[in-house]
Amino acid sequence: MPRKTGTPKLLKLREVCEELHVSRSTFYDWRQKGRAPRCIKLPNGDLRVRRSDLDNWLDDHEDAA
């Protein structure tokens, strides 16, 4: 089913972990400590992350080295 124009891209947890090069358990640890990107919990319990939320989270954690 095609997404509506303007609808934000939702990433699966697997996609987020692959992009961040972290394990699922590390992501859940970050989430428990309030350090993970904002997540959407679907009615079936699956997590999704908006592309824009992940990009903003990455920007906020960028090291100004």
Side-chain angles (χ1 to χ4, degrees):
M1 182 163 106
R3 291 185 300 126
K4 295 178 184 176
T5 303
T7 303
K9 167 79 171 148
L10 297 178
L11 301 171
K12 295 179 181 178
L13 188 54
R14 174 186 51 78
E15 296 171 311
V16 174
C17 290
E18 285 176 5
E19 184 168 335
L20 298 176
H21 303 286
V22 299
S23 67
R24 184 178 290 259
S25 63
T26 296
F27 186 87
Y28 280 120
D29 183 54
W30 290 352
R31 184 167 155 75
Q32 183 180 15
K33 294 175 180 174
R35 297 180 181 166
R38 288 180 44 184
C39 296
I40 299 167
K41 189 169 188 177
L42 301 178
N44 66 0
D46 287 351
L47 296 177
R48 297 290 185 269
V49 177
R50 286 184 188 94
R51 174 83 251 171
S52 59
D53 286 339
L54 180 59
D55 289 341
N56 289 336
W57 182 85
L58 287 169
D59 288 344
D60 291 344
H61 289 82
E62 186 173 19
D63 186 7

Tab-separated table of all heavy atoms in Angstrom:
chain	number	residue	atom	x	y	z
A	1	MET	N	0.840	-1.177	0.000
A	1	MET	CA	0.000	0.000	0.000
A	1	MET	C	0.886	1.241	0.000
A	1	MET	O	1.723	1.404	0.882
A	1	MET	CB	-0.878	-0.033	1.256
A	1	MET	CG	-1.839	1.114	1.344
A	1	MET	SD	-3.128	0.760	2.546
A	1	MET	CE	-2.632	1.797	3.862
A	2	PRO	N	0.760	2.107	-0.957
A	2	PRO	CA	1.613	3.296	-1.038
A	2	PRO	C	1.299	4.278	0.086
A	2	PRO	O	0.167	4.389	0.522
A	2	PRO	CB	1.287	3.898	-2.404
A	2	PRO	CG	0.049	3.252	-2.871
A	2	PRO	CD	-0.150	2.005	-2.080
A	3	ARG	N	2.362	4.958	0.527
A	3	ARG	CA	2.191	5.972	1.557
A	3	ARG	C	1.585	7.222	0.937
A	3	ARG	O	1.826	7.533	-0.213
A	3	ARG	CB	3.534	6.328	2.187
A	3	ARG	CG	4.100	5.224	3.010
A	3	ARG	CD	5.377	5.641	3.734
A	3	ARG	NE	6.413	6.055	2.820
A	3	ARG	CZ	7.057	7.230	2.891
A	3	ARG	NH1	6.801	8.081	3.825
A	3	ARG	NH2	7.986	7.533	2.012
A	4	LYS	N	0.827	7.955	1.762
A	4	LYS	CA	0.287	9.230	1.314
A	4	LYS	C	1.416	10.234	1.216
A	4	LYS	O	2.376	10.179	1.973
A	4	LYS	CB	-0.752	9.747	2.314
A	4	LYS	CG	-1.980	8.888	2.426
A	4	LYS	CD	-2.904	9.464	3.459
A	4	LYS	CE	-4.102	8.560	3.658
A	4	LYS	NZ	-4.966	9.052	4.729
A	5	THR	N	1.304	11.152	0.298
A	5	THR	CA	2.307	12.197	0.161
A	5	THR	C	2.344	13.012	1.444
A	5	THR	O	1.319	13.370	1.991
A	5	THR	CB	1.963	13.118	-1.030
A	5	THR	OG1	1.856	12.315	-2.194
A	5	THR	CG2	3.005	14.180	-1.231
A	6	GLY	N	3.547	13.259	1.948
A	6	GLY	CA	3.702	14.029	3.164
A	6	GLY	C	3.704	13.191	4.425
A	6	GLY	O	3.973	13.689	5.491
A	7	THR	N	3.382	11.899	4.306
A	7	THR	CA	3.412	11.016	5.468
A	7	THR	C	4.858	10.707	5.806
A	7	THR	O	5.627	10.341	4.934
A	7	THR	CB	2.649	9.702	5.172
A	7	THR	OG1	1.309	10.018	4.796
A	7	THR	CG2	2.632	8.802	6.381
A	8	PRO	N	5.243	10.859	7.093
A	8	PRO	CA	6.643	10.607	7.441
A	8	PRO	C	7.031	9.151	7.259
A	8	PRO	O	6.210	8.254	7.451
A	8	PRO	CB	6.732	11.021	8.908
A	8	PRO	CG	5.341	11.072	9.410
A	8	PRO	CD	4.446	11.259	8.223
A	9	LYS	N	8.279	8.929	6.877
A	9	LYS	CA	8.820	7.582	6.713
A	9	LYS	C	9.006	6.969	8.087
A	9	LYS	O	9.632	7.562	8.956
A	9	LYS	CB	10.149	7.670	5.961
A	9	LYS	CG	10.990	6.425	5.970
A	9	LYS	CD	10.516	5.409	4.977
A	9	LYS	CE	11.548	4.282	4.903
A	9	LYS	NZ	10.960	3.018	4.623
A	10	LEU	N	8.443	5.777	8.291
A	10	LEU	CA	8.609	5.059	9.545
A	10	LEU	C	9.600	3.924	9.337
A	10	LEU	O	9.437	3.109	8.432
A	10	LEU	CB	7.269	4.497	10.035
A	10	LEU	CG	6.196	5.523	10.363
A	10	LEU	CD1	4.910	4.821	10.789
A	10	LEU	CD2	6.668	6.472	11.442
A	11	LEU	N	10.632	3.899	10.173
A	11	LEU	CA	11.665	2.871	10.080
A	11	LEU	C	11.376	1.757	11.066
A	11	LEU	O	10.971	2.009	12.209
A	11	LEU	CB	13.027	3.477	10.398
A	11	LEU	CG	13.480	4.635	9.512
A	11	LEU	CD1	14.742	5.274	10.085
A	11	LEU	CD2	13.713	4.166	8.104
A	12	LYS	N	11.614	0.534	10.635
A	12	LYS	CA	11.509	-0.606	11.535
A	12	LYS	C	12.721	-0.586	12.456
A	12	LYS	O	13.779	-0.056	12.120
A	12	LYS	CB	11.479	-1.908	10.742
A	12	LYS	CG	10.248	-2.042	9.883
A	12	LYS	CD	10.274	-3.331	9.106
A	12	LYS	CE	9.044	-3.445	8.229
A	12	LYS	NZ	9.046	-4.655	7.427
A	13	LEU	N	12.575	-1.211	13.624
A	13	LEU	CA	13.667	-1.241	14.587
A	13	LEU	C	14.915	-1.872	13.984
A	13	LEU	O	16.025	-1.406	14.210
A	13	LEU	CB	13.233	-1.992	15.847
A	13	LEU	CG	14.201	-1.948	17.017
A	13	LEU	CD1	14.572	-0.526	17.389
A	13	LEU	CD2	13.616	-2.681	18.194
A	14	ARG	N	14.739	-2.901	13.185
A	14	ARG	CA	15.872	-3.555	12.517
A	14	ARG	C	16.633	-2.550	11.662
A	14	ARG	O	17.870	-2.527	11.667
A	14	ARG	CB	15.350	-4.721	11.657
A	14	ARG	CG	16.419	-5.391	10.807
A	14	ARG	CD	15.836	-6.430	9.864
A	14	ARG	NE	14.720	-5.963	9.055
A	14	ARG	CZ	14.832	-5.206	7.959
A	14	ARG	NH1	16.009	-4.817	7.532
A	14	ARG	NH2	13.767	-4.831	7.281
A	15	GLU	N	15.915	-1.701	10.932
A	15	GLU	CA	16.554	-0.704	10.071
A	15	GLU	C	17.328	0.324	10.896
A	15	GLU	O	18.437	0.729	10.521
A	15	GLU	CB	15.501	0.005	9.215
A	15	GLU	CG	14.790	-0.913	8.245
A	15	GLU	CD	13.612	-0.253	7.567
A	15	GLU	OE1	12.767	0.358	8.258
A	15	GLU	OE2	13.526	-0.353	6.325
A	16	VAL	N	16.746	0.740	12.014
A	16	VAL	CA	17.406	1.722	12.877
A	16	VAL	C	18.691	1.130	13.453
A	16	VAL	O	19.747	1.763	13.429
A	16	VAL	CB	16.457	2.188	14.002
A	16	VAL	CG1	17.172	3.091	14.978
A	16	VAL	CG2	15.237	2.886	13.412
A	17	CYS	N	18.607	-0.102	13.963
A	17	CYS	CA	19.784	-0.752	14.549
A	17	CYS	C	20.881	-0.946	13.511
A	17	CYS	O	22.063	-0.752	13.812
A	17	CYS	CB	19.394	-2.084	15.180
A	17	CYS	SG	18.408	-1.902	16.681
A	18	GLU	N	20.496	-1.322	12.295
A	18	GLU	CA	21.489	-1.488	11.225
A	18	GLU	C	22.169	-0.163	10.920
A	18	GLU	O	23.391	-0.105	10.767
A	18	GLU	CB	20.831	-2.043	9.963
A	18	GLU	CG	20.493	-3.514	10.043
A	18	GLU	CD	19.751	-4.022	8.809
A	18	GLU	OE1	19.573	-3.253	7.834
A	18	GLU	OE2	19.339	-5.193	8.829
A	19	GLU	N	21.397	0.904	10.838
A	19	GLU	CA	21.974	2.212	10.515
A	19	GLU	C	22.907	2.707	11.620
A	19	GLU	O	23.943	3.315	11.347
A	19	GLU	CB	20.858	3.233	10.275
A	19	GLU	CG	21.384	4.577	9.849
A	19	GLU	CD	20.319	5.510	9.325
A	19	GLU	OE1	19.270	5.042	8.849
A	19	GLU	OE2	20.556	6.734	9.400
A	20	LEU	N	22.549	2.432	12.871
A	20	LEU	CA	23.357	2.879	13.997
A	20	LEU	C	24.474	1.908	14.352
A	20	LEU	O	25.320	2.214	15.195
A	20	LEU	CB	22.464	3.102	15.228
A	20	LEU	CG	21.388	4.175	15.100
A	20	LEU	CD1	20.529	4.209	16.348
A	20	LEU	CD2	22.006	5.538	14.814
A	21	HIS	N	24.460	0.741	13.720
A	21	HIS	CA	25.452	-0.310	13.996
A	21	HIS	C	25.431	-0.725	15.472
A	21	HIS	O	26.484	-0.816	16.112
A	21	HIS	CB	26.860	0.118	13.578
A	21	HIS	CG	26.951	0.495	12.134
A	21	HIS	ND1	26.925	-0.444	11.127
A	21	HIS	CD2	27.040	1.698	11.533
A	21	HIS	CE1	27.008	0.177	9.964
A	21	HIS	NE2	27.076	1.480	10.180
A	22	VAL	N	24.215	-0.936	15.993
A	22	VAL	CA	24.047	-1.409	17.367
A	22	VAL	C	23.114	-2.605	17.369
A	22	VAL	O	22.310	-2.788	16.456
A	22	VAL	CB	23.493	-0.317	18.315
A	22	VAL	CG1	24.436	0.874	18.398
A	22	VAL	CG2	22.107	0.126	17.908
A	23	SER	N	23.221	-3.405	18.415
A	23	SER	CA	22.332	-4.554	18.555
A	23	SER	C	20.963	-4.081	19.048
A	23	SER	O	20.812	-2.977	19.578
A	23	SER	CB	22.914	-5.559	19.545
A	23	SER	OG	22.926	-4.999	20.844
A	24	ARG	N	19.987	-4.946	18.878
A	24	ARG	CA	18.636	-4.661	19.357
A	24	ARG	C	18.657	-4.468	20.885
A	24	ARG	O	17.993	-3.581	21.412
A	24	ARG	CB	17.703	-5.810	18.964
A	24	ARG	CG	16.261	-5.592	19.312
A	24	ARG	CD	15.413	-6.762	18.839
A	24	ARG	NE	15.307	-6.798	17.396
A	24	ARG	CZ	14.240	-6.372	16.718
A	24	ARG	NH1	13.200	-5.912	17.346
A	24	ARG	NH2	14.225	-6.430	15.411
A	25	SER	N	19.448	-5.288	21.582
A	25	SER	CA	19.508	-5.170	23.047
A	25	SER	C	20.102	-3.826	23.471
A	25	SER	O	19.653	-3.233	24.459
A	25	SER	CB	20.283	-6.334	23.660
A	25	SER	OG	21.620	-6.341	23.223
A	26	THR	N	21.091	-3.336	22.723
A	26	THR	CA	21.659	-2.016	23.020
A	26	THR	C	20.607	-0.938	22.817
A	26	THR	O	20.460	-0.034	23.641
A	26	THR	CB	22.892	-1.734	22.133
A	26	THR	OG1	23.913	-2.676	22.456
A	26	THR	CG2	23.407	-0.316	22.321
A	27	PHE	N	19.842	-1.051	21.728
A	27	PHE	CA	18.792	-0.058	21.474
A	27	PHE	C	17.773	-0.062	22.607
A	27	PHE	O	17.384	0.992	23.100
A	27	PHE	CB	18.103	-0.323	20.137
A	27	PHE	CG	17.122	0.752	19.776
A	27	PHE	CD1	17.537	1.880	19.090
A	27	PHE	CD2	15.792	0.650	20.159
A	27	PHE	CE1	16.631	2.891	18.782
A	27	PHE	CE2	14.885	1.651	19.858
A	27	PHE	CZ	15.308	2.772	19.164
A	28	TYR	N	17.349	-1.257	23.044
A	28	TYR	CA	16.380	-1.338	24.138
A	28	TYR	C	16.970	-0.783	25.431
A	28	TYR	O	16.250	-0.166	26.224
A	28	TYR	CB	15.895	-2.771	24.339
A	28	TYR	CG	14.823	-3.176	23.351
A	28	TYR	CD1	15.018	-4.234	22.480
A	28	TYR	CD2	13.604	-2.498	23.296
A	28	TYR	CE1	14.043	-4.613	21.574
A	28	TYR	CE2	12.616	-2.860	22.392
A	28	TYR	CZ	12.837	-3.918	21.537
A	28	TYR	OH	11.870	-4.282	20.650
A	29	ASP	N	18.266	-0.975	25.657
A	29	ASP	CA	18.931	-0.404	26.828
A	29	ASP	C	18.885	1.117	26.761
A	29	ASP	O	18.554	1.787	27.741
A	29	ASP	CB	20.369	-0.920	26.914
A	29	ASP	CG	21.095	-0.423	28.145
A	29	ASP	OD1	20.567	-0.619	29.261
A	29	ASP	OD2	22.182	0.168	27.992
A	30	TRP	N	19.225	1.670	25.598
A	30	TRP	CA	19.147	3.117	25.410
A	30	TRP	C	17.731	3.611	25.651
A	30	TRP	O	17.523	4.647	26.280
A	30	TRP	CB	19.568	3.512	23.999
A	30	TRP	CG	21.007	3.371	23.668
A	30	TRP	CD1	22.029	3.076	24.520
A	30	TRP	CD2	21.592	3.526	22.384
A	30	TRP	NE1	23.226	3.039	23.823
A	30	TRP	CE2	22.978	3.309	22.508
A	30	TRP	CE3	21.081	3.817	21.129
A	30	TRP	CZ2	23.848	3.391	21.434
A	30	TRP	CZ3	21.947	3.894	20.046
A	30	TRP	CH2	23.321	3.685	20.208
A	31	ARG	N	16.756	2.877	25.129
A	31	ARG	CA	15.349	3.270	25.271
A	31	ARG	C	14.947	3.295	26.738
A	31	ARG	O	14.297	4.240	27.202
A	31	ARG	CB	14.476	2.315	24.466
A	31	ARG	CG	13.005	2.659	24.452
A	31	ARG	CD	12.307	1.838	23.375
A	31	ARG	NE	10.899	1.650	23.641
A	31	ARG	CZ	9.976	2.587	23.487
A	31	ARG	NH1	10.321	3.786	23.064
A	31	ARG	NH2	8.717	2.329	23.745
A	32	GLN	N	15.345	2.288	27.490
A	32	GLN	CA	15.024	2.206	28.913
A	32	GLN	C	15.639	3.376	29.679
A	32	GLN	O	15.045	3.899	30.625
A	32	GLN	CB	15.517	0.892	29.487
A	32	GLN	CG	15.178	0.686	30.947
A	32	GLN	CD	15.692	-0.632	31.484
A	32	GLN	OE1	16.532	-1.277	30.872
A	32	GLN	NE2	15.194	-1.034	32.634
A	33	LYS	N	16.829	3.811	29.259
A	33	LYS	CA	17.527	4.921	29.922
A	33	LYS	C	17.137	6.288	29.369
A	33	LYS	O	17.678	7.306	29.794
A	33	LYS	CB	19.038	4.727	29.781
A	33	LYS	CG	19.546	3.513	30.533
A	33	LYS	CD	21.014	3.276	30.267
A	33	LYS	CE	21.488	2.048	31.026
A	33	LYS	NZ	22.871	1.691	30.681
A	34	GLY	N	16.216	6.313	28.390
A	34	GLY	CA	15.778	7.579	27.809
A	34	GLY	C	16.780	8.194	26.858
A	34	GLY	O	16.758	9.396	26.620
A	35	ARG	N	17.670	7.369	26.283
A	35	ARG	CA	18.727	7.871	25.393
A	35	ARG	C	18.496	7.540	23.926
A	35	ARG	O	19.305	7.907	23.077
A	35	ARG	CB	20.072	7.285	25.817
A	35	ARG	CG	20.473	7.722	27.203
A	35	ARG	CD	21.793	7.129	27.582
A	35	ARG	NE	22.159	7.554	28.932
A	35	ARG	CZ	23.109	7.017	29.639
A	35	ARG	NH1	23.817	6.018	29.148
A	35	ARG	NH2	23.376	7.458	30.846
A	36	ALA	N	17.440	6.821	23.620
A	36	ALA	CA	17.164	6.398	22.240
A	36	ALA	C	16.346	7.464	21.519
A	36	ALA	O	15.738	8.331	22.161
A	36	ALA	CB	16.398	5.078	22.246
A	37	PRO	N	16.320	7.397	20.192
A	37	PRO	CA	15.429	8.296	19.451
A	37	PRO	C	13.974	8.029	19.841
A	37	PRO	O	13.639	6.933	20.309
A	37	PRO	CB	15.662	7.918	17.987
A	37	PRO	CG	16.799	6.985	17.947
A	37	PRO	CD	17.066	6.505	19.321
A	38	ARG	N	13.136	9.015	19.633
A	38	ARG	CA	11.706	8.843	19.909
A	38	ARG	C	11.146	7.682	19.096
A	38	ARG	O	11.470	7.533	17.926
A	38	ARG	CB	10.937	10.111	19.544
A	38	ARG	CG	11.177	11.243	20.490
A	38	ARG	CD	10.423	12.477	20.113
A	38	ARG	NE	9.048	12.161	19.725
A	38	ARG	CZ	8.186	13.035	19.275
A	38	ARG	NH1	8.537	14.282	19.117
A	38	ARG	NH2	6.964	12.684	18.946
A	39	CYS	N	10.310	6.898	19.739
A	39	CYS	CA	9.725	5.719	19.093
A	39	CYS	C	8.207	5.809	19.096
A	39	CYS	O	7.608	6.470	19.943
A	39	CYS	CB	10.128	4.444	19.827
A	39	CYS	SG	11.891	4.099	19.797
A	40	ILE	N	7.616	5.108	18.154
A	40	ILE	CA	6.173	4.930	18.090
A	40	ILE	C	5.914	3.457	18.365
A	40	ILE	O	6.490	2.596	17.694
A	40	ILE	CB	5.624	5.294	16.695
A	40	ILE	CG1	5.908	6.755	16.390
A	40	ILE	CG2	4.133	4.976	16.601
A	40	ILE	CD1	5.684	7.121	14.941
A	41	LYS	N	5.062	3.182	19.356
A	41	LYS	CA	4.724	1.794	19.664
A	41	LYS	C	3.390	1.479	18.988
A	41	LYS	O	2.364	2.099	19.291
A	41	LYS	CB	4.634	1.562	21.169
A	41	LYS	CG	4.505	0.118	21.546
A	41	LYS	CD	4.684	-0.069	23.036
A	41	LYS	CE	4.742	-1.540	23.374
A	41	LYS	NZ	4.987	-1.737	24.813
A	42	LEU	N	3.422	0.530	18.070
A	42	LEU	CA	2.227	0.135	17.346
A	42	LEU	C	1.337	-0.739	18.232
A	42	LEU	O	1.817	-1.310	19.224
A	42	LEU	CB	2.618	-0.628	16.082
A	42	LEU	CG	3.501	0.139	15.089
A	42	LEU	CD1	3.847	-0.750	13.903
A	42	LEU	CD2	2.821	1.408	14.616
A	43	PRO	N	0.052	-0.875	17.881
A	43	PRO	CA	-0.852	-1.703	18.691
A	43	PRO	C	-0.365	-3.145	18.877
A	43	PRO	O	-0.670	-3.773	19.888
A	43	PRO	CB	-2.169	-1.661	17.915
A	43	PRO	CG	-2.113	-0.385	17.147
A	43	PRO	CD	-0.657	-0.187	16.805
A	44	ASN	N	0.412	-3.662	17.924
A	44	ASN	CA	0.916	-5.034	18.056
A	44	ASN	C	2.203	-5.110	18.877
A	44	ASN	O	2.782	-6.177	19.039
A	44	ASN	CB	1.127	-5.666	16.679
A	44	ASN	CG	2.226	-5.004	15.881
A	44	ASN	OD1	2.859	-4.051	16.327
A	44	ASN	ND2	2.460	-5.490	14.682
A	45	GLY	N	2.672	-3.966	19.388
A	45	GLY	CA	3.865	-3.928	20.223
A	45	GLY	C	5.150	-3.608	19.476
A	45	GLY	O	6.173	-3.338	20.093
A	46	ASP	N	5.117	-3.647	18.146
A	46	ASP	CA	6.304	-3.312	17.357
A	46	ASP	C	6.634	-1.829	17.507
A	46	ASP	O	5.747	-1.003	17.709
A	46	ASP	CB	6.078	-3.617	15.870
A	46	ASP	CG	6.087	-5.096	15.559
A	46	ASP	OD1	6.439	-5.896	16.448
A	46	ASP	OD2	5.735	-5.447	14.413
A	47	LEU	N	7.918	-1.516	17.396
A	47	LEU	CA	8.372	-0.133	17.467
A	47	LEU	C	8.705	0.380	16.077
A	47	LEU	O	9.214	-0.364	15.234
A	47	LEU	CB	9.615	-0.014	18.349
A	47	LEU	CG	9.458	-0.350	19.819
A	47	LEU	CD1	10.806	-0.244	20.522
A	47	LEU	CD2	8.438	0.548	20.487
A	48	ARG	N	8.443	1.646	15.863
A	48	ARG	CA	8.840	2.339	14.650
A	48	ARG	C	9.478	3.657	15.053
A	48	ARG	O	9.151	4.230	16.088
A	48	ARG	CB	7.642	2.622	13.726
A	48	ARG	CG	6.929	1.397	13.191
A	48	ARG	CD	7.788	0.655	12.183
A	48	ARG	NE	7.086	-0.448	11.573
A	48	ARG	CZ	7.083	-1.691	12.021
A	48	ARG	NH1	7.746	-1.991	13.119
A	48	ARG	NH2	6.431	-2.647	11.400
A	49	VAL	N	10.373	4.149	14.204
A	49	VAL	CA	11.023	5.436	14.434
A	49	VAL	C	10.838	6.267	13.174
A	49	VAL	O	11.129	5.804	12.065
A	49	VAL	CB	12.534	5.259	14.745
A	49	VAL	CG1	13.214	6.609	14.907
A	49	VAL	CG2	12.731	4.409	15.984
A	50	ARG	N	10.331	7.478	13.355
A	50	ARG	CA	10.209	8.377	12.195
A	50	ARG	C	11.606	8.719	11.690
A	50	ARG	O	12.517	8.968	12.475
A	50	ARG	CB	9.504	9.668	12.589
A	50	ARG	CG	8.040	9.542	12.801
A	50	ARG	CD	7.432	10.924	13.105
A	50	ARG	NE	6.066	10.792	13.490
A	50	ARG	CZ	5.633	10.696	14.750
A	50	ARG	NH1	6.494	10.739	15.742
A	50	ARG	NH2	4.357	10.564	15.010
A	51	ARG	N	11.768	8.751	10.389
A	51	ARG	CA	13.057	9.123	9.788
A	51	ARG	C	13.510	10.475	10.330
A	51	ARG	O	14.678	10.666	10.669
A	51	ARG	CB	12.880	9.171	8.260
A	51	ARG	CG	14.082	9.688	7.500
A	51	ARG	CD	15.085	8.601	7.273
A	51	ARG	NE	16.245	8.820	8.100
A	51	ARG	CZ	17.230	7.942	8.259
A	51	ARG	NH1	17.203	6.790	7.656
A	51	ARG	NH2	18.253	8.194	9.018
A	52	SER	N	12.584	11.419	10.416
A	52	SER	CA	12.936	12.760	10.889
A	52	SER	C	13.392	12.742	12.349
A	52	SER	O	14.309	13.473	12.725
A	52	SER	CB	11.759	13.720	10.709
A	52	SER	OG	10.626	13.261	11.428
A	53	ASP	N	12.772	11.896	13.189
A	53	ASP	CA	13.190	11.800	14.590
A	53	ASP	C	14.589	11.205	14.708
A	53	ASP	O	15.390	11.644	15.532
A	53	ASP	CB	12.200	10.954	15.400
A	53	ASP	CG	10.897	11.682	15.672
A	53	ASP	OD1	10.879	12.929	15.606
A	53	ASP	OD2	9.888	11.001	15.957
A	54	LEU	N	14.891	10.204	13.873
A	54	LEU	CA	16.229	9.622	13.894
A	54	LEU	C	17.261	10.644	13.427
A	54	LEU	O	18.320	10.798	14.046
A	54	LEU	CB	16.300	8.359	13.029
A	54	LEU	CG	17.664	7.672	12.974
A	54	LEU	CD1	18.130	7.254	14.364
A	54	LEU	CD2	17.630	6.478	12.031
A	55	ASP	N	16.959	11.377	12.365
A	55	ASP	CA	17.889	12.397	11.867
A	55	ASP	C	18.132	13.472	12.919
A	55	ASP	O	19.275	13.895	13.128
A	55	ASP	CB	17.366	13.023	10.572
A	55	ASP	CG	17.426	12.066	9.391
A	55	ASP	OD1	18.179	11.060	9.457
A	55	ASP	OD2	16.711	12.307	8.403
A	56	ASN	N	17.062	13.908	13.597
A	56	ASN	CA	17.210	14.934	14.652
A	56	ASN	C	18.023	14.394	15.812
A	56	ASN	O	18.871	15.106	16.368
A	56	ASN	CB	15.838	15.402	15.143
A	56	ASN	CG	15.116	16.234	14.118
A	56	ASN	OD1	15.718	16.839	13.246
A	56	ASN	ND2	13.802	16.250	14.208
A	57	TRP	N	17.787	13.144	16.195
A	57	TRP	CA	18.532	12.511	17.285
A	57	TRP	C	20.015	12.440	16.923
A	57	TRP	O	20.869	12.740	17.752
A	57	TRP	CB	17.948	11.123	17.545
A	57	TRP	CG	18.575	10.380	18.663
A	57	TRP	CD1	18.258	10.470	19.992
A	57	TRP	CD2	19.628	9.411	18.560
A	57	TRP	NE1	19.062	9.604	20.717
A	57	TRP	CE2	19.904	8.937	19.866
A	57	TRP	CE3	20.350	8.881	17.502
A	57	TRP	CZ2	20.876	7.976	20.121
A	57	TRP	CZ3	21.317	7.926	17.762
A	57	TRP	CH2	21.574	7.481	19.052
A	58	LEU	N	20.315	12.058	15.685
A	58	LEU	CA	21.711	11.997	15.241
A	58	LEU	C	22.362	13.375	15.274
A	58	LEU	O	23.500	13.523	15.718
A	58	LEU	CB	21.796	11.397	13.832
A	58	LEU	CG	21.543	9.897	13.740
A	58	LEU	CD1	21.389	9.476	12.278
A	58	LEU	CD2	22.653	9.109	14.405
A	59	ASP	N	21.631	14.389	14.824
A	59	ASP	CA	22.151	15.759	14.868
A	59	ASP	C	22.460	16.183	16.308
A	59	ASP	O	23.484	16.808	16.564
A	59	ASP	CB	21.150	16.756	14.254
A	59	ASP	CG	21.070	16.636	12.742
A	59	ASP	OD1	21.974	16.029	12.130
A	59	ASP	OD2	20.087	17.154	12.178
A	60	ASP	N	21.572	15.829	17.231
A	60	ASP	CA	21.761	16.190	18.635
A	60	ASP	C	22.964	15.476	19.261
A	60	ASP	O	23.529	15.952	20.243
A	60	ASP	CB	20.507	15.873	19.458
A	60	ASP	CG	19.342	16.771	19.117
A	60	ASP	OD1	19.560	17.832	18.476
A	60	ASP	OD2	18.196	16.425	19.491
A	61	HIS	N	23.337	14.328	18.701
A	61	HIS	CA	24.442	13.550	19.264
A	61	HIS	C	25.728	13.668	18.450
A	61	HIS	O	26.683	12.952	18.712
A	61	HIS	CB	24.029	12.071	19.395
A	61	HIS	CG	23.023	11.870	20.465
A	61	HIS	ND1	21.673	12.106	20.261
A	61	HIS	CD2	23.153	11.507	21.762
A	61	HIS	CE1	21.028	11.867	21.381
A	61	HIS	NE2	21.900	11.519	22.314
A	62	GLU	N	25.727	14.591	17.520
A	62	GLU	CA	26.910	14.793	16.698
A	62	GLU	C	28.022	15.415	17.546
A	62	GLU	O	27.803	16.365	18.288
A	62	GLU	CB	26.570	15.719	15.530
A	62	GLU	CG	27.681	15.877	14.546
A	62	GLU	CD	27.240	16.655	13.316
A	62	GLU	OE1	26.233	17.347	13.383
A	62	GLU	OE2	27.944	16.573	12.307
A	63	ASP	N	29.200	14.845	17.433
A	63	ASP	CA	30.361	15.333	18.169
A	63	ASP	C	31.008	16.453	17.365
A	63	ASP	O	31.323	16.290	16.200
A	63	ASP	CB	31.356	14.188	18.382
A	63	ASP	CG	32.520	14.575	19.266
A	63	ASP	OD1	32.509	15.685	19.830
A	63	ASP	OD2	33.434	13.759	19.402
A	64	ALA	N	31.189	17.570	18.002
A	64	ALA	CA	31.792	18.709	17.322
A	64	ALA	C	33.322	18.620	17.422
A	64	ALA	O	33.989	19.552	17.831
A	64	ALA	CB	31.288	20.005	17.932
A	65	ALA	N	33.883	17.499	17.011
A	65	ALA	CA	35.332	17.277	17.132
A	65	ALA	C	36.084	17.979	16.038
A	65	ALA	O	35.690	18.162	14.949
A	65	ALA	CB	35.642	15.789	17.068
